Amino acid sequence: MNVLVIGANGQVGHQIVNLLHDRKEHSVKALVRKEEQAAELADKGIESVVASLEDSVETLSSAIEGSDAIIFAAGSGGSTGSDKTLLVDLDGAVKTMEAAEKLGVKRYVMVSAHQAHNRENWSEALMPYYAAKHYADKILEQSSLDYTIVRPGGLLNEEGTGHVSIGENLKRGSVSREDVANVIVASLLNENTIRRSFDLISGEDSIENAIASL
């Protein structure tokens, strides 16, 4: 598959791009916002395209064209205001869904947030972020795309264990970014994850078995 990773310069997106590049099971293209980020990827032999999630659907369609699958791992980041959260995490995500449908790209994997589907479990300090994720996920679920929505818990920069818990509703927990990347890559061709949404935290099951249990 030709896989486009949106948000490739973020911490999770970076892990996903490197994993896809190293495994060589799929062709990977990274979508980044800055030319210098593209240059750094080129030095590693990784193809990239420069675009912003605040660009038009037409511009994003040009960046997506030729892809078989999209992984959305972008985010406005904690240093921006609620306006950027709305424009990137919600509207930016929806524009890529619209572009994917326009181009006939069916496979779409979304990196969301733990319990984004349950308002009563949102963090008070991150309400705009959770609201953006909630509605982006809802729009994705209502689309024609073959989606998978992965809702990881607190993200850690630790080495992955390869063992996780996956479920529709899981208690609060954490998970390494490396394990999140591995779950996402493993989900790409796994029909068990198509049109499914799930929480993801560290656990006892191997990634393969956890996905199989959905």
Side-chain angles (χ1 to χ4, degrees), residues 82-151:
S82 299
D83 56 340
K84 289 296 184 183
T85 301
L86 178 66
L87 291 172
V88 173
D89 297 77
L90 176 52
D91 191 48
V94 173
K95 285 189 287 189
T96 67
M97 298 171 204
E98 293 175 2
E101 288 186 311
K102 175 183 174 183
L103 293 167
V105 180
K106 295 294 290 182
R107 194 72 175 101
Y108 192 109
V109 182
M110 169 70 80
V111 182
S112 184
H114 186 262
Q115 287 289 294
H117 60 312
N118 286 328
R119 289 187 184 91
E120 62 272 19
N121 292 331
W122 294 357
S123 165
E124 288 286 342
L126 297 170
M127 281 294 187
Y129 171 74
Y130 272 93
K133 285 297 188 185
H134 177 83
Y135 286 103
D137 292 353
K138 274 190 169 295
I139 292 168
L140 180 55
E141 289 170 339
Q142 293 164 5
S143 74
S144 64
L145 301 172
D146 290 336
Y147 68 82
T148 300
I149 299 172
V150 182
R151 301 188 297 260

Short mmCIF file of all heavy atoms in Angstrom, two decimals, residues 82-151:
data_model
loop_
_atom_site.label_atom_id
_atom_site.label_comp_id
_atom_site.label_asym_id
_atom_site.label_seq_id
_atom_site.Cartn_x
_atom_site.Cartn_y
_atom_site.Cartn_z
N SER A 82 -7.21 27.46 21.39
CA SER A 82 -8.37 26.67 20.97
C SER A 82 -8.72 26.89 19.51
O SER A 82 -9.30 26.01 18.87
CB SER A 82 -9.58 27.01 21.85
OG SER A 82 -9.32 26.72 23.20
N ASP A 83 -8.37 28.07 18.97
CA ASP A 83 -8.66 28.32 17.56
C ASP A 83 -7.92 27.35 16.66
O ASP A 83 -8.49 26.80 15.71
CB ASP A 83 -8.33 29.77 17.19
CG ASP A 83 -6.89 30.16 17.49
OD1 ASP A 83 -6.23 29.49 18.31
OD2 ASP A 83 -6.42 31.15 16.89
N LYS A 84 -6.64 27.11 16.95
CA LYS A 84 -5.86 26.17 16.14
C LYS A 84 -6.33 24.73 16.35
O LYS A 84 -6.30 23.91 15.44
CB LYS A 84 -4.37 26.30 16.46
CG LYS A 84 -3.74 27.59 15.95
CD LYS A 84 -3.77 27.66 14.43
CE LYS A 84 -3.05 28.91 13.93
NZ LYS A 84 -3.14 29.04 12.46
N THR A 85 -6.75 24.41 17.57
CA THR A 85 -7.31 23.08 17.84
C THR A 85 -8.51 22.84 16.94
O THR A 85 -8.65 21.77 16.34
CB THR A 85 -7.72 22.95 19.32
OG1 THR A 85 -6.58 23.18 20.14
CG2 THR A 85 -8.27 21.57 19.61
N LEU A 86 -9.37 23.85 16.81
CA LEU A 86 -10.55 23.74 15.95
C LEU A 86 -10.16 23.61 14.49
O LEU A 86 -10.68 22.76 13.76
CB LEU A 86 -11.44 24.98 16.15
CG LEU A 86 -12.70 25.07 15.29
CD1 LEU A 86 -13.68 23.98 15.67
CD2 LEU A 86 -13.33 26.45 15.44
N LEU A 87 -9.19 24.41 14.05
CA LEU A 87 -8.82 24.45 12.63
C LEU A 87 -8.01 23.24 12.19
O LEU A 87 -8.08 22.84 11.03
CB LEU A 87 -8.04 25.73 12.34
CG LEU A 87 -8.85 27.03 12.43
CD1 LEU A 87 -7.94 28.24 12.31
CD2 LEU A 87 -9.93 27.08 11.36
N VAL A 88 -7.23 22.66 13.11
CA VAL A 88 -6.37 21.53 12.74
C VAL A 88 -6.98 20.19 13.14
O VAL A 88 -7.20 19.32 12.30
CB VAL A 88 -4.97 21.69 13.40
CG1 VAL A 88 -4.12 20.45 13.17
CG2 VAL A 88 -4.27 22.93 12.82
N ASP A 89 -7.26 20.02 14.43
CA ASP A 89 -7.72 18.72 14.93
C ASP A 89 -9.13 18.36 14.47
O ASP A 89 -9.46 17.18 14.36
CB ASP A 89 -7.66 18.70 16.46
CG ASP A 89 -6.25 18.87 16.99
OD1 ASP A 89 -5.75 20.01 16.98
OD2 ASP A 89 -5.64 17.88 17.40
N LEU A 90 -9.95 19.38 14.20
CA LEU A 90 -11.30 19.11 13.71
C LEU A 90 -11.42 19.41 12.22
O LEU A 90 -11.52 18.49 11.40
CB LEU A 90 -12.33 19.92 14.50
CG LEU A 90 -13.79 19.80 14.03
CD1 LEU A 90 -14.23 18.35 13.91
CD2 LEU A 90 -14.71 20.57 14.97
N ASP A 91 -11.36 20.67 11.83
CA ASP A 91 -11.60 21.01 10.43
C ASP A 91 -10.53 20.45 9.51
O ASP A 91 -10.83 19.97 8.41
CB ASP A 91 -11.69 22.53 10.27
CG ASP A 91 -12.20 22.93 8.89
OD1 ASP A 91 -13.23 22.37 8.46
OD2 ASP A 91 -11.60 23.80 8.26
N GLY A 92 -9.27 20.50 9.95
CA GLY A 92 -8.20 19.93 9.13
C GLY A 92 -8.40 18.45 8.89
O GLY A 92 -8.23 17.95 7.77
N ALA A 93 -8.78 17.74 9.94
CA ALA A 93 -9.04 16.30 9.80
C ALA A 93 -10.19 16.04 8.84
O ALA A 93 -10.10 15.18 7.95
CB ALA A 93 -9.33 15.68 11.17
N VAL A 94 -11.27 16.80 8.98
CA VAL A 94 -12.44 16.60 8.13
C VAL A 94 -12.11 16.90 6.67
O VAL A 94 -12.57 16.19 5.76
CB VAL A 94 -13.63 17.45 8.63
CG1 VAL A 94 -14.79 17.38 7.65
CG2 VAL A 94 -14.07 16.98 10.02
N LYS A 95 -11.30 17.91 6.43
CA LYS A 95 -10.91 18.21 5.05
C LYS A 95 -10.15 17.05 4.42
O LYS A 95 -10.33 16.76 3.23
CB LYS A 95 -10.08 19.50 5.00
CG LYS A 95 -10.92 20.76 5.17
CD LYS A 95 -10.13 22.02 4.90
CE LYS A 95 -9.14 22.34 5.98
NZ LYS A 95 -8.53 23.68 5.83
N THR A 96 -9.32 16.37 5.19
CA THR A 96 -8.61 15.21 4.63
C THR A 96 -9.57 14.06 4.36
O THR A 96 -9.37 13.29 3.40
CB THR A 96 -7.47 14.73 5.54
OG1 THR A 96 -7.99 14.20 6.77
CG2 THR A 96 -6.49 15.86 5.85
N MET A 97 -10.62 13.93 5.16
CA MET A 97 -11.64 12.91 4.90
C MET A 97 -12.38 13.24 3.61
O MET A 97 -12.63 12.35 2.77
CB MET A 97 -12.64 12.85 6.06
CG MET A 97 -12.05 12.46 7.39
SD MET A 97 -13.29 12.68 8.70
CE MET A 97 -12.21 12.89 10.14
N GLU A 98 -12.74 14.50 3.44
CA GLU A 98 -13.42 14.93 2.21
C GLU A 98 -12.54 14.67 0.99
O GLU A 98 -13.02 14.19 -0.06
CB GLU A 98 -13.79 16.40 2.30
CG GLU A 98 -14.85 16.71 3.35
CD GLU A 98 -15.10 18.20 3.50
OE1 GLU A 98 -14.48 19.00 2.76
OE2 GLU A 98 -15.91 18.57 4.37
N ALA A 99 -11.25 14.99 1.13
CA ALA A 99 -10.32 14.76 0.02
C ALA A 99 -10.20 13.28 -0.29
O ALA A 99 -10.17 12.88 -1.46
CB ALA A 99 -8.96 15.36 0.36
N ALA A 100 -10.12 12.45 0.75
CA ALA A 100 -10.00 11.01 0.55
C ALA A 100 -11.22 10.46 -0.18
O ALA A 100 -11.09 9.67 -1.13
CB ALA A 100 -9.83 10.31 1.90
N GLU A 101 -12.41 10.89 0.23
CA GLU A 101 -13.62 10.42 -0.44
C GLU A 101 -13.65 10.89 -1.90
O GLU A 101 -14.04 10.13 -2.80
CB GLU A 101 -14.86 10.93 0.31
CG GLU A 101 -15.07 10.23 1.65
CD GLU A 101 -16.36 10.63 2.33
OE1 GLU A 101 -16.62 11.85 2.43
OE2 GLU A 101 -17.10 9.74 2.75
N LYS A 102 -13.24 12.12 -2.12
CA LYS A 102 -13.20 12.67 -3.47
C LYS A 102 -12.28 11.86 -4.38
O LYS A 102 -12.58 11.64 -5.57
CB LYS A 102 -12.74 14.12 -3.39
CG LYS A 102 -12.52 14.82 -4.72
CD LYS A 102 -11.99 16.25 -4.49
CE LYS A 102 -11.62 16.92 -5.79
NZ LYS A 102 -11.04 18.27 -5.57
N LEU A 103 -11.16 11.40 -3.82
CA LEU A 103 -10.15 10.68 -4.60
C LEU A 103 -10.39 9.17 -4.63
O LEU A 103 -9.70 8.45 -5.36
CB LEU A 103 -8.76 10.95 -4.02
CG LEU A 103 -8.25 12.39 -4.15
CD1 LEU A 103 -7.02 12.58 -3.27
CD2 LEU A 103 -7.92 12.71 -5.60
N GLY A 104 -11.31 8.67 -3.83
CA GLY A 104 -11.55 7.24 -3.77
C GLY A 104 -10.54 6.49 -2.92
O GLY A 104 -10.37 5.28 -3.07
N VAL A 105 -9.87 7.20 -2.00
CA VAL A 105 -8.96 6.54 -1.05
C VAL A 105 -9.81 6.03 0.10
O VAL A 105 -10.41 6.81 0.84
CB VAL A 105 -7.89 7.53 -0.52
CG1 VAL A 105 -6.97 6.84 0.47
CG2 VAL A 105 -7.11 8.14 -1.67
N LYS A 106 -9.90 4.72 0.28
CA LYS A 106 -10.86 4.16 1.23
C LYS A 106 -10.32 4.00 2.66
O LYS A 106 -11.04 4.20 3.63
CB LYS A 106 -11.35 2.79 0.74
CG LYS A 106 -12.14 2.84 -0.55
CD LYS A 106 -13.46 3.59 -0.36
CE LYS A 106 -14.46 2.81 0.48
NZ LYS A 106 -15.75 3.53 0.61
N ARG A 107 -9.05 3.62 2.77
CA ARG A 107 -8.52 3.26 4.11
C ARG A 107 -8.06 4.50 4.85
O ARG A 107 -7.23 5.28 4.34
CB ARG A 107 -7.37 2.26 3.95
CG ARG A 107 -6.99 1.57 5.25
CD ARG A 107 -8.02 0.57 5.68
NE ARG A 107 -7.60 -0.17 6.87
CZ ARG A 107 -8.04 0.12 8.10
NH1 ARG A 107 -8.89 1.11 8.30
NH2 ARG A 107 -7.64 -0.61 9.12
N TYR A 108 -8.52 4.66 6.08
CA TYR A 108 -8.22 5.87 6.86
C TYR A 108 -8.10 5.47 8.33
O TYR A 108 -9.05 4.95 8.92
CB TYR A 108 -9.34 6.88 6.68
CG TYR A 108 -9.04 8.28 7.18
CD1 TYR A 108 -8.84 9.33 6.29
CD2 TYR A 108 -8.97 8.56 8.54
CE1 TYR A 108 -8.58 10.62 6.74
CE2 TYR A 108 -8.72 9.83 9.00
CZ TYR A 108 -8.52 10.87 8.09
OH TYR A 108 -8.26 12.14 8.55
N VAL A 109 -6.93 5.71 8.91
CA VAL A 109 -6.69 5.41 10.31
C VAL A 109 -6.49 6.71 11.07
O VAL A 109 -5.62 7.52 10.72
CB VAL A 109 -5.47 4.49 10.50
CG1 VAL A 109 -5.27 4.15 11.98
CG2 VAL A 109 -5.62 3.20 9.69
N MET A 110 -7.29 6.92 12.09
CA MET A 110 -7.27 8.15 12.88
C MET A 110 -6.64 7.90 14.25
O MET A 110 -7.03 6.96 14.96
CB MET A 110 -8.70 8.65 13.08
CG MET A 110 -8.85 9.76 14.11
SD MET A 110 -8.14 11.32 13.52
CE MET A 110 -9.46 11.90 12.46
N VAL A 111 -5.67 8.74 14.61
CA VAL A 111 -5.15 8.73 15.98
C VAL A 111 -5.98 9.73 16.77
O VAL A 111 -5.90 10.94 16.54
CB VAL A 111 -3.66 9.11 16.03
CG1 VAL A 111 -3.15 9.04 17.48
CG2 VAL A 111 -2.84 8.19 15.13
N SER A 112 -6.79 9.23 17.67
CA SER A 112 -7.69 10.08 18.44
C SER A 112 -7.18 10.19 19.88
O SER A 112 -5.97 10.26 20.09
CB SER A 112 -9.12 9.49 18.39
OG SER A 112 -10.04 10.33 19.04
N ALA A 113 -8.07 10.25 20.83
CA ALA A 113 -7.69 10.41 22.24
C ALA A 113 -8.54 9.48 23.11
O ALA A 113 -9.73 9.26 22.82
CB ALA A 113 -7.87 11.85 22.69
N HIS A 114 -7.93 8.95 24.15
CA HIS A 114 -8.61 8.02 25.05
C HIS A 114 -9.95 8.57 25.53
O HIS A 114 -10.02 9.69 26.03
CB HIS A 114 -7.69 7.74 26.25
CG HIS A 114 -8.22 6.69 27.17
ND1 HIS A 114 -8.89 6.99 28.32
CD2 HIS A 114 -8.16 5.33 27.11
CE1 HIS A 114 -9.24 5.87 28.94
NE2 HIS A 114 -8.80 4.85 28.23
N GLN A 115 -11.00 7.78 25.32
CA GLN A 115 -12.36 8.12 25.75
C GLN A 115 -12.91 9.39 25.10
O GLN A 115 -13.81 10.04 25.64
CB GLN A 115 -12.41 8.24 27.28
CG GLN A 115 -12.34 6.91 28.00
CD GLN A 115 -13.61 6.08 27.84
OE1 GLN A 115 -14.67 6.46 28.31
NE2 GLN A 115 -13.49 4.95 27.14
N ALA A 116 -12.41 9.72 23.92
CA ALA A 116 -12.93 10.89 23.21
C ALA A 116 -14.41 10.74 22.90
O ALA A 116 -15.12 11.73 22.72
CB ALA A 116 -12.14 11.13 21.92
N HIS A 117 -14.89 9.49 22.85
CA HIS A 117 -16.30 9.25 22.52
C HIS A 117 -17.23 9.40 23.71
O HIS A 117 -18.45 9.39 23.55
CB HIS A 117 -16.45 7.85 21.91
CG HIS A 117 -16.03 6.73 22.81
ND1 HIS A 117 -14.83 6.73 23.49
CD2 HIS A 117 -16.65 5.56 23.14
CE1 HIS A 117 -14.72 5.60 24.19
NE2 HIS A 117 -15.82 4.90 24.00
N ASN A 118 -16.67 9.53 24.92
CA ASN A 118 -17.48 9.65 26.14
C ASN A 118 -17.24 11.00 26.81
O ASN A 118 -16.22 11.19 27.47
CB ASN A 118 -17.13 8.51 27.12
CG ASN A 118 -17.69 7.18 26.67
OD1 ASN A 118 -18.73 7.11 26.04
ND2 ASN A 118 -16.98 6.10 26.99
N ARG A 119 -18.15 11.93 26.62
CA ARG A 119 -17.95 13.29 27.14
C ARG A 119 -17.68 13.32 28.64
O ARG A 119 -16.91 14.15 29.13
CB ARG A 119 -19.18 14.14 26.84
CG ARG A 119 -19.38 14.51 25.38
CD ARG A 119 -20.52 15.50 25.26
NE ARG A 119 -20.82 15.82 23.87
CZ ARG A 119 -21.72 15.16 23.14
NH1 ARG A 119 -22.36 14.12 23.66
NH2 ARG A 119 -21.95 15.53 21.90
N GLU A 120 -18.32 12.44 29.39
CA GLU A 120 -18.17 12.47 30.85
C GLU A 120 -16.76 12.12 31.31
O GLU A 120 -16.41 12.36 32.46
CB GLU A 120 -19.18 11.53 31.52
CG GLU A 120 -19.04 10.06 31.15
CD GLU A 120 -19.81 9.64 29.91
OE1 GLU A 120 -20.19 10.54 29.11
OE2 GLU A 120 -20.03 8.44 29.75
N ASN A 121 -15.94 11.60 30.40
CA ASN A 121 -14.58 11.21 30.76
C ASN A 121 -13.52 12.15 30.19
O ASN A 121 -12.33 11.85 30.24
CB ASN A 121 -14.30 9.78 30.30
CG ASN A 121 -15.11 8.76 31.07
OD1 ASN A 121 -15.45 8.98 32.24
ND2 ASN A 121 -15.42 7.64 30.45
N TRP A 122 -13.94 13.29 29.65
CA TRP A 122 -12.97 14.23 29.10
C TRP A 122 -12.22 14.96 30.20
O TRP A 122 -12.80 15.27 31.26
CB TRP A 122 -13.66 15.26 28.21
CG TRP A 122 -14.26 14.69 26.97
CD1 TRP A 122 -14.20 13.40 26.53
CD2 TRP A 122 -15.06 15.41 26.01
NE1 TRP A 122 -14.89 13.27 25.36
CE2 TRP A 122 -15.42 14.47 25.02
CE3 TRP A 122 -15.46 16.73 25.91
CZ2 TRP A 122 -16.20 14.84 23.92
CZ3 TRP A 122 -16.23 17.10 24.81
CH2 TRP A 122 -16.60 16.17 23.83
N SER A 123 -10.97 15.26 29.95
CA SER A 123 -10.16 16.05 30.88
C SER A 123 -10.63 17.50 30.87
O SER A 123 -10.76 18.12 29.81
CB SER A 123 -8.68 15.98 30.48
OG SER A 123 -7.93 16.97 31.13
N GLU A 124 -10.87 18.05 32.06
CA GLU A 124 -11.33 19.44 32.18
C GLU A 124 -10.32 20.40 31.53
O GLU A 124 -10.70 21.41 30.95
CB GLU A 124 -11.51 19.80 33.65
CG GLU A 124 -12.72 19.16 34.32
CD GLU A 124 -14.03 19.79 33.88
OE1 GLU A 124 -14.00 20.92 33.35
OE2 GLU A 124 -15.08 19.15 34.06
N ALA A 125 -9.03 20.08 31.66
CA ALA A 125 -7.99 20.98 31.15
C ALA A 125 -7.87 20.95 29.64
O ALA A 125 -7.25 21.84 29.04
CB ALA A 125 -6.65 20.63 31.79
N LEU A 126 -8.48 19.94 28.99
CA LEU A 126 -8.32 19.76 27.55
C LEU A 126 -9.65 19.68 26.81
O LEU A 126 -9.76 19.02 25.79
CB LEU A 126 -7.51 18.48 27.28
CG LEU A 126 -6.07 18.45 27.82
CD1 LEU A 126 -5.49 17.04 27.68
CD2 LEU A 126 -5.20 19.46 27.08
N MET A 127 -10.64 20.37 27.32
CA MET A 127 -11.99 20.27 26.74
C MET A 127 -12.03 20.61 25.24
O MET A 127 -12.64 19.87 24.47
CB MET A 127 -12.96 21.16 27.52
CG MET A 127 -13.43 20.54 28.83
SD MET A 127 -14.44 19.07 28.53
CE MET A 127 -15.01 18.73 30.19
N PRO A 128 -11.42 21.70 24.77
CA PRO A 128 -11.48 21.99 23.33
C PRO A 128 -10.85 20.88 22.48
O PRO A 128 -11.36 20.54 21.41
CB PRO A 128 -10.71 23.31 23.19
CG PRO A 128 -10.83 23.95 24.54
CD PRO A 128 -10.77 22.81 25.51
N TYR A 129 -9.75 20.32 22.97
CA TYR A 129 -9.08 19.23 22.26
C TYR A 129 -9.99 18.01 22.17
O TYR A 129 -10.15 17.41 21.09
CB TYR A 129 -7.77 18.89 22.98
CG TYR A 129 -7.09 17.65 22.46
CD1 TYR A 129 -6.43 17.64 21.24
CD2 TYR A 129 -7.08 16.48 23.22
CE1 TYR A 129 -5.80 16.49 20.78
CE2 TYR A 129 -6.45 15.33 22.77
CZ TYR A 129 -5.82 15.34 21.54
OH TYR A 129 -5.20 14.20 21.09
N TYR A 130 -10.59 17.63 23.30
CA TYR A 130 -11.47 16.46 23.30
C TYR A 130 -12.70 16.69 22.43
O TYR A 130 -13.15 15.77 21.73
CB TYR A 130 -11.86 16.09 24.73
CG TYR A 130 -10.88 15.16 25.38
CD1 TYR A 130 -9.84 15.64 26.16
CD2 TYR A 130 -10.98 13.78 25.21
CE1 TYR A 130 -8.92 14.78 26.74
CE2 TYR A 130 -10.07 12.91 25.78
CZ TYR A 130 -9.05 13.42 26.55
OH TYR A 130 -8.14 12.56 27.11
N ALA A 131 -13.25 17.90 22.47
CA ALA A 131 -14.40 18.19 21.63
C ALA A 131 -14.04 18.08 20.15
O ALA A 131 -14.80 17.52 19.35
CB ALA A 131 -14.93 19.59 21.94
N ALA A 132 -12.86 18.59 19.78
CA ALA A 132 -12.41 18.49 18.39
C ALA A 132 -12.26 17.04 17.96
O ALA A 132 -12.70 16.63 16.88
CB ALA A 132 -11.10 19.25 18.21
N LYS A 133 -11.62 16.24 18.82
CA LYS A 133 -11.44 14.82 18.51
C LYS A 133 -12.78 14.10 18.43
O LYS A 133 -13.00 13.25 17.55
CB LYS A 133 -10.54 14.17 19.56
CG LYS A 133 -9.06 14.52 19.42
CD LYS A 133 -8.51 14.02 18.10
CE LYS A 133 -7.02 14.15 17.97
NZ LYS A 133 -6.55 13.75 16.62
N HIS A 134 -13.67 14.40 19.36
CA HIS A 134 -14.98 13.77 19.40
C HIS A 134 -15.72 13.94 18.09
O HIS A 134 -16.23 12.97 17.51
CB HIS A 134 -15.78 14.38 20.57
CG HIS A 134 -17.18 13.87 20.69
ND1 HIS A 134 -17.48 12.69 21.33
CD2 HIS A 134 -18.36 14.39 20.28
CE1 HIS A 134 -18.79 12.51 21.31
NE2 HIS A 134 -19.35 13.52 20.67
N TYR A 135 -15.78 15.18 17.61
CA TYR A 135 -16.57 15.44 16.41
C TYR A 135 -15.84 15.03 15.14
O TYR A 135 -16.50 14.62 14.16
CB TYR A 135 -17.01 16.90 16.39
CG TYR A 135 -18.12 17.13 17.40
CD1 TYR A 135 -17.86 17.75 18.62
CD2 TYR A 135 -19.40 16.65 17.16
CE1 TYR A 135 -18.86 17.91 19.57
CE2 TYR A 135 -20.41 16.81 18.10
CZ TYR A 135 -20.14 17.44 19.30
OH TYR A 135 -21.14 17.57 20.23
N ALA A 136 -14.52 15.10 15.12
CA ALA A 136 -13.79 14.57 13.96
C ALA A 136 -14.04 13.06 13.84
O ALA A 136 -14.26 12.54 12.74
CB ALA A 136 -12.30 14.86 14.10
N ASP A 137 -14.01 12.38 14.98
CA ASP A 137 -14.27 10.93 14.97
C ASP A 137 -15.69 10.63 14.49
O ASP A 137 -15.92 9.70 13.70
CB ASP A 137 -14.06 10.34 16.36
CG ASP A 137 -12.61 10.36 16.82
OD1 ASP A 137 -11.73 10.71 16.01
OD2 ASP A 137 -12.37 10.04 17.99
N LYS A 138 -16.65 11.41 14.96
CA LYS A 138 -18.04 11.19 14.56
C LYS A 138 -18.22 11.37 13.06
O LYS A 138 -18.92 10.58 12.40
CB LYS A 138 -18.96 12.15 15.32
CG LYS A 138 -19.41 11.64 16.69
CD LYS A 138 -20.49 12.52 17.26
CE LYS A 138 -21.12 11.89 18.49
NZ LYS A 138 -21.83 10.64 18.20
N ILE A 139 -17.61 12.40 12.52
CA ILE A 139 -17.73 12.64 11.08
C ILE A 139 -17.06 11.51 10.30
O ILE A 139 -17.57 11.06 9.26
CB ILE A 139 -17.14 14.02 10.72
CG1 ILE A 139 -18.04 15.12 11.31
CG2 ILE A 139 -17.00 14.19 9.20
CD1 ILE A 139 -17.44 16.50 11.28
N LEU A 140 -15.93 11.02 10.81
CA LEU A 140 -15.27 9.89 10.16
C LEU A 140 -16.15 8.65 10.18
O LEU A 140 -16.26 7.93 9.18
CB LEU A 140 -13.93 9.61 10.85
CG LEU A 140 -13.09 8.47 10.31
CD1 LEU A 140 -12.81 8.62 8.81
CD2 LEU A 140 -11.77 8.36 11.09
N GLU A 141 -16.81 8.41 11.30
CA GLU A 141 -17.69 7.23 11.42
C GLU A 141 -18.88 7.33 10.47
O GLU A 141 -19.42 6.30 10.04
CB GLU A 141 -18.17 7.09 12.87
CG GLU A 141 -17.08 6.64 13.81
CD GLU A 141 -17.48 6.72 15.27
OE1 GLU A 141 -18.42 7.47 15.61
OE2 GLU A 141 -16.84 6.04 16.09
N GLN A 142 -19.30 8.53 10.15
CA GLN A 142 -20.44 8.73 9.25
C GLN A 142 -20.03 8.79 7.78
O GLN A 142 -20.89 8.87 6.90
CB GLN A 142 -21.18 10.01 9.64
CG GLN A 142 -21.85 9.93 11.00
CD GLN A 142 -22.25 11.28 11.56
OE1 GLN A 142 -22.11 12.31 10.89
NE2 GLN A 142 -22.72 11.29 12.79
N SER A 143 -18.73 8.72 7.52
CA SER A 143 -18.23 8.80 6.15
C SER A 143 -18.32 7.43 5.47
O SER A 143 -18.70 6.43 6.08
CB SER A 143 -16.77 9.26 6.15
OG SER A 143 -15.91 8.21 6.58
N SER A 144 -17.93 7.41 4.20
CA SER A 144 -17.90 6.15 3.44
C SER A 144 -16.56 5.44 3.57
O SER A 144 -16.34 4.39 2.95
CB SER A 144 -18.17 6.44 1.96
OG SER A 144 -17.13 7.24 1.41
N LEU A 145 -15.64 5.99 4.36
CA LEU A 145 -14.28 5.47 4.44
C LEU A 145 -14.20 4.21 5.29
O LEU A 145 -14.99 4.01 6.23
CB LEU A 145 -13.35 6.55 5.03
CG LEU A 145 -13.28 7.86 4.24
CD1 LEU A 145 -12.49 8.90 5.00
CD2 LEU A 145 -12.67 7.63 2.86
N ASP A 146 -13.23 3.37 4.97
CA ASP A 146 -12.92 2.19 5.79
C ASP A 146 -12.00 2.65 6.92
O ASP A 146 -10.78 2.56 6.85
CB ASP A 146 -12.23 1.11 4.94
CG ASP A 146 -13.18 0.46 3.95
OD1 ASP A 146 -14.40 0.50 4.19
OD2 ASP A 146 -12.70 -0.07 2.94
N TYR A 147 -12.61 3.15 7.96
CA TYR A 147 -11.85 3.81 9.03
C TYR A 147 -11.47 2.84 10.15
O TYR A 147 -12.08 1.80 10.36
CB TYR A 147 -12.66 4.96 9.62
CG TYR A 147 -13.89 4.52 10.39
CD1 TYR A 147 -13.79 4.10 11.72
CD2 TYR A 147 -15.16 4.53 9.81
CE1 TYR A 147 -14.91 3.69 12.42
CE2 TYR A 147 -16.27 4.12 10.50
CZ TYR A 147 -16.15 3.70 11.81
OH TYR A 147 -17.26 3.27 12.52
N THR A 148 -10.42 3.23 10.86
CA THR A 148 -10.09 2.69 12.17
C THR A 148 -9.76 3.89 13.05
O THR A 148 -8.96 4.75 12.64
CB THR A 148 -8.88 1.75 12.13
OG1 THR A 148 -9.16 0.65 11.25
CG2 THR A 148 -8.56 1.20 13.52
N ILE A 149 -10.37 3.97 14.21
CA ILE A 149 -10.10 5.07 15.15
C ILE A 149 -9.41 4.49 16.37
O ILE A 149 -9.98 3.65 17.08
CB ILE A 149 -11.39 5.81 15.55
CG1 ILE A 149 -12.05 6.42 14.31
CG2 ILE A 149 -11.07 6.88 16.59
CD1 ILE A 149 -13.43 7.00 14.57
N VAL A 150 -8.18 4.90 16.58
CA VAL A 150 -7.36 4.42 17.70
C VAL A 150 -7.31 5.53 18.75
O VAL A 150 -6.87 6.64 18.45
CB VAL A 150 -5.94 4.05 17.24
CG1 VAL A 150 -5.12 3.50 18.40
CG2 VAL A 150 -6.00 3.02 16.11
N ARG A 151 -7.74 5.21 19.97
CA ARG A 151 -7.81 6.21 21.04
C ARG A 151 -6.80 5.87 22.14
O ARG A 151 -7.16 5.23 23.13
CB ARG A 151 -9.23 6.27 21.62
CG ARG A 151 -10.32 6.61 20.58
CD ARG A 151 -11.66 6.84 21.24
NE ARG A 151 -12.14 5.66 21.93
CZ ARG A 151 -13.05 4.81 21.46
NH1 ARG A 151 -13.61 5.02 20.26
NH2 ARG A 151 -13.42 3.76 22.17
#
